[in-house]
Amino acid sequence: MSEQERENVWITSQMGLRLRAGREAKGMTQSQLAQLVNASVTQIDQYEHGEHDMAMERLFDLAKILEIPVADIFDA
C-alpha cells in the first residue's frame, strides 16, 4: 500500500493524552517509543498533543506496543 493510499486518522488532544498515559505507564520515553515505530520524537510529541494525524497502521502499532486496546484510545 502506498503512502497516498493509507488511511489517516486525526489524533485529538484526548486521544493524545491516552497515548501519553500509556507510554508513561510503560516507563518509556518519547524517544524509545519513536524508535519502536520508526517515527521521530517530534512526531510522537505531536501525537501526544493532538497536533498531527497518523496512519491507522501506526495507531495500531502504538496501541499494541503500549498494550492499549484501540477502542480505549477512541473512547470519548
Side-chain angles (χ1 to χ4, degrees):
M1 181 177 289
S2 74
E3 260 323 292
Q4 292 176 339
E5 294 174 4
R6 287 187 173 175
E7 185 174 345
N8 286 353
V9 61
W10 187 265
I11 301 302
T12 67
S13 58
Q14 290 301 312
M15 293 166 67
L17 288 173
R18 290 184 194 100
L19 289 170
R20 183 176 72 194
R23 176 182 57 76
E24 289 175 345
K26 298 284 285 181
M28 298 175 85
T29 65
Q30 287 182 336
S31 179
Q32 290 169 323
L33 183 57
Q35 288 179 342
L36 290 173
V37 295
N38 196 28
S40 69
V41 174
T42 300
Q43 284 176 303
I44 298 298
D45 188 64
Q46 289 172 335
Y47 298 153
E48 290 184 358
H49 286 92
E51 299 171 348
H52 206 280
D53 64 341
M54 75 169 80
M56 288 294 290
E57 179 181 350
R58 177 162 288 164
L59 179 63
F60 281 92
D61 289 344
L62 288 170
K64 183 176 180 179
I65 290 165
L66 299 174
E67 299 177 2
I68 302 171
V70 174
D72 287 358
I73 295 171
F74 286 97
D75 193 21

